Amino acid sequence: MIIVTGASGFIASCLVTKLNELGLGRKIILVDDFYKDYKDNNLSGKVVRDWIHRDIFLSWFDKSASIVDFVFHLGARTDTTSKNKAVFNNLNLDYSKQIWNICAKNDIPLVYASSAATYGDGKFGFKDDHKHLEDFKPLNEYARSKHRFDVWALKQKDTPPRWAGLKFFNVYGPNEYHKSRMASVVFHAFHQINENGSLKLFKSHRKDYDHGFQKRDFIYVKDLIDVCAFFLENSKPPNGLYNLGTGKAQTFNDLAHATFKAMGKAPN
């Protein structure tokens, strides 16, 4: 069986689609807070084996680990504006530790979602070689919770037989309609252009960047999912943390022009 946590969410639901395309649908066990039905369309028509609510999953997993072959732990509280440290510690740190420990105890490979937000202001660069890991200063509670788990994971002696923490950069693509203000810039750009015929870019508060020329590494979700599938099918990659981006930062202005072009409209 293949566990996918956060299954109703943006990235995980795209992973479920990929696993279906690989003919693995009957092996998928979905985990999420299924009382929240506003994301239901993300899993519509998908072939899966079972659905398990997040609150009872850990108990089930501990008892049923012998039937599990692989875990994709993509579930998390992702609101970067929230300051509720207790919630982040509960869902992003403690919950993840319990999944890790069950995987380690039962020799189950684990891929989990970290975040490029763990790099903070980028003072120590954006390399995933672990060299400056403990020096990073994430800028919000979400990023700090992800960072604390990365640091914890690398210190563990008891580990899953294969594991990878994937540092997702600025992901965009299908199935993010439910994320509201947390959706990608591409998502918001598309809807602004559709509704207004124009797009507003962020003002710059640094003299070394013009308005709209701040940079991010934007990565299409299906490219990211291909990497997840690679980890499922290959046992050779070393355990550790991996950046998942294009490796090249683009300006918001470039992104805006590309969106207008894709929509067949003149930039405004």
Side-chain angles (χ1 to χ4, degrees):
M1 298 296 110
I2 301 171
I3 302 292
V4 180
T5 73
S8 299
F10 166 36
I11 297 173
S13 63
C14 290
L15 174 61
V16 173
T17 299
K18 179 69 174 182
L19 295 175
N20 269 242
E21 292 171 354
L22 294 173
L24 299 172
R26 297 294 180 188
K27 295 185 68 176
I28 304 171
I29 295 177
L30 306 180
V31 180
D32 210 325
D33 180 355
F34 293 115
Y35 293 129
K36 298 177 179 178
D37 59 4
Y38 58 89
K39 297 183 284 187
D40 282 359
N41 286 340
N42 281 352
L43 296 172
S44 178
K46 303 299 186 296
V47 175
V48 301
R49 182 181 181 89
D50 207 350
W51 308 59
I52 301 177
H53 195 276
R54 181 182 69 197
D55 291 347
I56 64 172
F57 167 66
L58 290 174
S59 176
W60 176 91
F61 188 23
D62 195 33
K63 297 174 183 176
S64 308
S66 61
I67 67 169
V68 177
D69 303 304
F70 203 98
V71 174
F72 287 103
H73 178 38
L74 306 185
R77 178 60 58 89
T78 59
D79 186 349
T80 59
T81 65
S82 173
K83 297 181 181 180
N84 193 331
K85 184 176 180 179
V87 170
F88 286 115
N89 281 343
N90 178 33
L91 294 179
N92 294 3
L93 188 59
D94 295 340
Y95 199 89
S96 299
K97 287 180 179 180
Q98 293 182 71
I99 289 176
W100 172 287
N101 287 333
I102 296 172
C103 287
K105 178 182 176 182
N106 295 279
D107 291 326
I108 301 169
L110 169 67
V111 166
Y112 73 86
S114 181
S115 172
T118 57
Y119 288 113
D121 63 5
K123 179 181 178 181
F124 294 97
F126 297 90
K127 292 185 178 180
D128 55 11
D129 59 8
H130 309 167
K131 183 177 180 181
H132 292 290
L133 182 68
E134 296 198 42
D135 297 320
F136 297 153
K137 296 291 187 292
L139 303 178
N140 54 58
E141 289 300 337
Y142 159 72
R144 282 188 277 272
S145 67
K146 287 292 187 180
H147 178 61
R148 285 195 293 271
F149 184 74
D150 288 344
V151 172
W152 179 87
L154 283 169
K155 290 181 177 179
Q156 299 311 296
K157 293 182 179 178
D158 295 326
T159 72
R162 292 190 285 126
W163 70 272
L166 306 183
K167 290 181 177 258
F168 299 158
F169 277 71
N170 292 73
V171 189
Y172 67 93
N175 293 7
E176 57 172 322
Y177 60 88
H178 62 277
K179 295 185 67 178
S180 186
R181 61 182 177 177
M182 292 294 110
S184 71
V185 177
V186 177
F187 178 89
H188 289 297
F190 173 82
H191 287 282
Q192 278 189 42
I193 295 167
N194 247 354
E195 294 169 10
N196 307 317
S198 62
L199 172 63
K200 291 183 178 181
L201 295 179
F202 293 111
K203 179 180 179 179
S204 175
H205 296 276
R206 287 176 49 168
K207 293 180 180 180
D208 49 339
Y209 287 95
D210 291 336
H211 300 316
F213 281 79
Q214 306 93 321
K215 292 183 176 182
R216 296 290 185 275
D217 186 344
F218 301 101
I219 177 75
Y220 184 47
V221 66
K222 292 185 181 180
D223 293 331
L224 182 154
I225 293 305
D226 284 344
V227 178
C228 291
F230 174 84
F231 277 102
L232 174 65
E233 297 170 338
N234 293 272
S235 60
K236 292 183 179 180
N239 293 340
L241 305 175
Y242 289 84
N243 283 343
L244 273 195
T246 67
K248 182 180 179 181
Q250 303 281 353
T251 69
F252 286 103
N253 188 59
D254 288 340
L255 182 75
H257 278 80
T259 306
F260 275 105
K261 183 177 180 179
M263 296 174 69
K265 298 179 181 291
N268 180 12

